[in-house]
Structure formats: structure tokens, C-alpha cells
Amino acid sequence: MEKIIEVKDVDFAYNDNLIFKGINFTINSGDFVALIGSNGAGKSTLIKLLLGELTAKRGSIEIFGKNPKDYDRWHRVGYVPQHGIQTINNFPASAEEIVQANLFNKIGLLRFPKKVHRQKTQETLDLVGMGGHSKDLIGNLSGGQQQRVLLARALVNDPEVLILDEPTVGVDDATVKSFYRLIKDLNNSLGITILIVTHDIARAHEHITRAFCLEKGTLVELTKEEVKMELKHKHHHPTIETKGDDR
Amino acid sequence: MDIFQYAFMQRAFAVGIMLAVIIPCIGVVVVLKRLSMIGDALSHTSLAGVAAGLVFGINPILGAIVISIIAALGIEFIRKRIPKFSEMSIAIIMSAGIGLAGVLSGFVKNAANFNSFLFGSIVAISDFEMYLVAVISFFVLLAFILLYKELFYVSIDERAARLAGIPVISINFIFTILTAITVSIAARTVGALIVSSMMVVPVACGMQFGKSYKQTVIYSIISAVLFTTVGLFVSYYAELKPGGTIVLVGVVCLVTTIIIKKLMGKSIS
């Protein structure tokens, strides 16, 4: 089984503020992993480390066997950002323009998209059920539809791994349900490895194969029983399932 | 029409329309990157270049271009050193530019010439300046077309653009230079004090109609060409200052569009 992501003994601190210490985990090809933890636990920081935007204080991080800082084949990684909907909501762009933008490495610097790129964009929008909305202004779509456009953008390069940072924040319950079914389908039928940061363990648990919990500076992998315990805990503390944060 | 009998009006229309094509191209990226203040800072700082040009006998537009590029790079330099208060960099450079412009303007012998850059003097453009605008407009437009998809992606999401392989730092650098050049040559027509509104108003209009980024860019250019043409006609026949008239025509059109859209939206619902 191919190792997609490997994190060994990683410490990270913002200035002197230690966020986490001695983090270890591996994500293998075909995994569907949920990363959970309360606000400010460092989930998004961990994603930034995986994407090479931050540098670990200690330890090593590898994505497809390479340090993210030196990695240059990011088209193998699909990324759906936190607050993505808020970013694109007021932007005057159509769904197909947003998706096609991510084909940059196939189109090339200073070059123009060709028919093959437009076809790929349409196929990807079809895949996420947004084929009929390709010409629509992004701001005129619902939150759930916008989220699918962002997913299509992440999928347009046929990535091997999808990293989703709190993708369902601010989206209604029925939409969240169908969004999870869609990414589970991508995981099953296309074999795409999934890493999803979420507060919504209740929605995610029926689809995931593994769950990591980042809390109080340490990361642990939860067993199925522990996930069930976590679900009960959430049931009694529903207020924890709130909005995402920037950390 | 007698308006076109005069060579200065022919030049005014030629230069006005060329600028109306390139200013919204830069403006759309400036607005979408939420950098509207940079246009303001660069246009005000360009006055220092105008004053330096007039004092040292260099063409003021060339002086403005050089100073604007230095200012744009200065903003980036300071921004990287104080990332938590990056907007301070714009204020620092703007203050320094206005201060320098103020000091240098004291040495300018012909004050009317300097004042013409504050509110623009599109009708006083020389042949050399018209050719300069033509050459610069050509290169700015070419750069915008070639970097169209890169600028689009960097505007919408820098992180995703970097992951897609776009050289974000280089694209931002080139765009900063293009902005500085465009602002400097536009200072001559609409004036340094109102050039940033000329960047923003046509784009705001384009955004009212555009159903995509491409349409927004096209409608912004059409709006800017319309405002410039109508503004020049109105200023000629009503004997008003052209730079201010062009911007006011734009603002009136924008407000009217917003009101009509709102009323139509109400009647539909």
C-alpha cells in the first residue's frame, strides 16, 4: 500500500506558542480519514504544514515521499479550502471559469485553454452533478452547489489525494449528507484518498475508514469504539459542532 | 461635428479610448484582489515623479512611471517586513510620495503645468505623449491577455493558484509594475487625484452586468470607453474639466444602474 502522507515526530509553534508536539501519522492510498478536534486545536495548521505553507519546528513531513516545501507535483493533490465558499461567493466568475483555472499546469504559462481543457472542465462538473450549471455565476448558486464547484476544481486534475478543510461549514444538513455520499463515491470508485478536516463527526463517521483526533497538542488515532464514544459526547454537547476557525 | 475639427480633441479621444481599454483590465484585478487603496497610493505618489520631471526637464509622465514603480516595489518591501500591519505600507509610501511631491512642486516654475496633473488635462496632450500612451497601452494589454488566466486565479485564491503551479510571486510582481505604469499614464488624462476612481467605477459597472469573469472584464472596458467618450463630449460642450467630468459620468451611470437593477429586482419579486 502506497504511503501518501507520512508525518513523523512533528512539533509546531507560532512564535513561542506551541500548537502541537510529537505528531505521528501515516495516510495510505485509499484511506478515507477524518481529522477532528475542537476550535483552535491546530487542524488547519496541520493542513498548512502538509501543503508546505508552514515549516515544522521539528520532525519530518512527507507527501508522496517528498518534503512539501520541495514538492512540485501538486496536481496530484486536490485541495478544498476552509471558508472557500465565502471567498468565491462575491467573485464575478462562472462555475466553469473557477474549475478551469486549476488546469493551469496542463494549459501552461502564457497559453490559452483548448477544447480538451474545456471538455475536461465540463466532465468534472458533470462528475459532481454540476454539469448543468457550468455557465452560471458562482454567486447565483446555493452554498451546496458552490461547494460542489470547489470540489470539481480540486478534482479537475485527477488527483490521487483530496484534502478538504471543513468543507461543509455553513451548508444545510441535507446538502452535507449528499456531499459526504459524493466524496465517499469518489473514494470507492476512483480510489481517491481522502483527508477531511471536520467538526461533523456525526455526518462523517458512516463513510470514513479512519479518524484522527487532534486535541491539546497531541494527535491520536481513534478506534471505531472511540468514534462511537465521540459521537455520544457530541450528542450531549451539540454546541461543539460550530463554525470552523483559522487555526 | 465641430468637436473633431480640432487636433487636440482628436488626440484626447484617441488617448482617452486607449486608456479606457487598459485601465479596467488593471482595475478588475485591483478590485478583486481588494487592493483599491494601492491605486490611490500609486497615483498620489506619481505626482512626485511629475514634479521631479518638471523640475529636472524630463517628461513628467516618464518621471511618474519611474517613481510609481519604485513606490510599488517599496510597498511590497515594507509589507513583507511588517506582515501583520501590511496596510501601513500603503500609507507610508503614500505619505512619502505626497511629501516629496509637495517639496518638489515648490521648485516647479510653471505651477499650472503641475496642477494639470492633479485633475488631468487630456486636451493638452502632446504627440509624444500620445505615442507613449499607445506603446504602453499595447504592452499592458498584451501582458493582461497573456497573463489573463494567471491573474484570474491569483485574484480568486492565491493558495490554490500556488498549488496549481502558478508562480504567484512573479505574477504579483509583474502586476504591480503594470499597475504603476497604468496609473502614471492615466494621471495625465483623468488626473492623479481621481485615477483610482477610474479604475474602480467601470469595474463596479461591469460587475453589475457580468455573468462571468470574462463578461465582467468586457463590460468594464465598454463602460470605461462609454464614460470617456460621453465625458469628453459633455466637457467640450459644457466647458467643464474633462478628467472630473469623465469620472462623474461614470459615477452617475453606476448609481443609475444600481437603482434600476434594484427596482427591476423588486418588480420581479
Side-chain angles (χ1 to χ4, degrees):
Chain A
M1 201 178 283
E2 190 192 0
K3 279 181 191 167
I4 304 283
I5 294 167
E6 189 169 30
V7 174
K8 281 186 193 162
D9 290 324
V10 164
D11 295 355
F12 182 80
Y14 282 111
N15 299 322
D16 290 334
N17 182 17
L18 191 71
I19 305 297
F20 40 70
K21 193 170 165 54
I23 299 266
N24 284 289
F25 67 89
T26 304
I27 295 176
N28 298 312
S29 174
D31 281 350
F32 188 146
V33 181
L35 174 62
I36 60 170
S38 54
N39 282 343
K43 303 186 294 298
S44 291
T45 299
L46 188 54
I47 298 300
K48 284 180 188 167
L49 284 164
L50 297 179
L51 297 177
E53 282 181 23
L54 296 171
T55 309
K57 211 173 170 190
R58 191 176 68 90
S60 77
I61 298 172
E62 287 187 352
I63 186 152
F64 293 107
K66 287 255 171 90
N67 183 332
K69 286 273 173 196
D70 309 321
Y71 192 61
D72 59 0
R73 302 187 65 201
W74 287 107
H75 56 93
R76 297 176 78 186
V77 181
Y79 169 64
V80 179
Q82 189 183 33
H83 306 310
I85 294 178
Q86 289 94 317
T87 310
I88 60 167
N89 193 24
N90 296 317
F91 206 90
S94 64
E96 68 176 355
E97 284 178 323
I98 287 172
V99 175
Q100 191 174 271
N102 214 26
L103 279 173
F104 173 80
N105 90 343
K106 294 211 168 73
I107 300 169
L109 187 69
L110 309 181
R111 291 176 184 275
F112 301 101
K114 297 194 174 100
K115 197 178 172 189
V116 60
H117 304 117
R118 286 190 285 273
Q119 274 173 349
K120 182 67 191 166
T121 302
Q122 186 59 42
E123 281 168 23
T124 315
L125 281 165
D126 287 339
L127 179 71
V128 300
M130 289 299 293
H133 296 279
S134 58
K135 304 280 181 202
D136 288 1
L137 188 67
I138 195 77
N140 289 346
L141 300 175
S142 70
Q145 289 174 321
Q146 290 177 352
Q147 198 51 264
R148 280 171 184 252
V149 171
L150 286 177
L151 182 61
R153 183 178 80 175
L155 289 170
V156 76
N157 285 311
D158 300 319
E160 291 156 68
V161 59
L162 256 187
I163 298 176
L164 306 104
D165 193 355
E166 308 249 19
T168 54
V169 167
V171 181
D172 68 82
D173 204 42
T175 310
V176 173
K177 228 175 179 176
S178 70
F179 186 79
Y180 270 104
R181 273 201 303 272
L182 177 62
I183 50 174
K184 181 62 186 174
D185 198 38
L186 295 169
N187 177 244
N188 283 338
S189 58
L190 301 175
I192 300 175
T193 307
I194 313 269
L195 169 60
I196 183 164
V197 176
T198 182
H199 282 72
D200 201 354
I201 190 67
R203 197 58 73 201
H205 85 281
E206 50 187 303
H207 304 293
I208 57 176
T209 55
R210 300 166 72 195
F212 299 150
C213 181
L214 188 58
E215 210 62 72
K216 291 175 187 159
T218 57
L219 183 137
V220 288
E221 180 160 2
L222 303 178
T223 62
K224 284 194 171 158
E225 285 68 35
E226 284 168 329
V227 171
K228 280 180 191 162
M229 288 289 288
E230 185 72 20
L231 274 170
K232 279 185 190 166
H233 176 75
K234 290 273 176 190
H235 185 69
H236 293 296
H237 301 88
T239 49
I240 295 173
E241 283 183 34
T242 52
K243 289 175 189 154
D245 58 276
D246 290 316
R247 191 162 270 187
Chain B
M1 272 185 277
D2 61 344
I3 186 170
F4 291 114
Q5 284 173 356
Y6 303 103
F8 72 89
M9 282 313 292
Q10 290 169 5
R11 276 199 297 268
F13 272 96
V15 168
I17 288 169
M18 283 189 279
L19 290 174
V21 172
I22 62 161
I23 295 175
C25 293
I26 298 298
V28 77
V29 180
V30 165
V31 169
L32 294 176
K33 286 178 77 146
R34 299 174 199 281
L35 293 175
S36 301
M37 281 306 292
I38 282 192
D40 232 15
L42 293 183
S43 59
H44 284 63
T45 309
S46 74
L47 285 172
V50 168
L54 293 171
V55 171
F56 299 113
I58 310 161
N59 184 285
I61 296 184
L62 288 177
I65 291 173
V66 172
I67 292 284
S68 290
I69 290 174
I70 295 170
L73 298 178
I75 289 171
E76 288 299 313
F77 180 82
I78 297 172
R79 189 203 296 274
K80 278 180 191 147
R81 266 139 199 88
I82 42 169
K84 285 185 180 170
F85 298 95
S86 58
E87 74 279 5
M88 260 174 36
S89 62
I90 295 173
I92 292 168
I93 292 293
M94 192 159 147
S95 315
I98 293 173
L100 189 60
V103 170
L104 287 173
S105 67
F107 297 99
V108 177
K109 286 178 186 134
N110 182 359
N113 203 351
F114 180 72
N115 290 345
S116 75
F117 280 85
L118 294 175
F119 293 100
S121 64
I122 196 167
V123 290
I125 277 171
S126 67
D127 278 343
F128 169 76
E129 285 168 342
M130 185 172 72
Y131 295 129
L132 185 67
V133 169
V135 170
I136 287 173
S137 298
F138 173 76
F139 283 108
V140 169
L141 192 62
L142 184 70
F144 179 76
I145 292 169
L146 288 175
L147 293 172
Y148 176 84
K149 67 178 190 310
E150 288 80 1
L151 286 170
F152 167 71
Y153 207 1
V154 170
S155 309
I156 201 166
D157 189 340
E158 277 201 12
R159 181 190 289 171
R162 180 184 67 82
L163 292 175
I166 292 177
V168 174
I169 294 170
S170 307
I171 297 293
N172 280 337
F173 177 76
I174 294 168
F175 180 72
T176 304
I177 302 286
L178 290 176
T179 310
I181 293 172
T182 307
V183 163
S184 304
I185 58 167
R188 181 67 166 155
T189 53
V190 289
L193 298 182
I194 36 187
V195 63
S196 63
S197 44
M198 200 54 200
M199 277 196 165
V200 175
V201 177
V203 177
C205 266
M207 286 169 76
Q208 300 299 316
F209 299 107
K211 293 275 175 268
S212 65
Y213 179 72
K214 195 175 174 181
Q215 282 185 15
T216 303
V217 171
I218 292 169
Y219 288 138
S220 303
I221 293 172
I222 292 172
S223 305
V225 171
L226 186 77
F227 304 159
T228 305
T229 315
V230 174
L232 282 174
F233 269 105
V234 172
S235 67
Y236 177 80
Y237 288 108
E239 293 179 15
L240 302 171
K241 287 211 175 228
T245 312
I246 292 170
V247 171
L248 287 178
V249 167
V251 173
V252 169
C253 287
L254 174 65
V255 173
T256 312
T257 308
I258 292 172
I259 293 171
I260 291 174
K261 262 191 98 176
K262 205 149 200 175
L263 290 175
M264 281 174 70
K266 263 186 189 168
S267 65
I268 289 166
S269 60

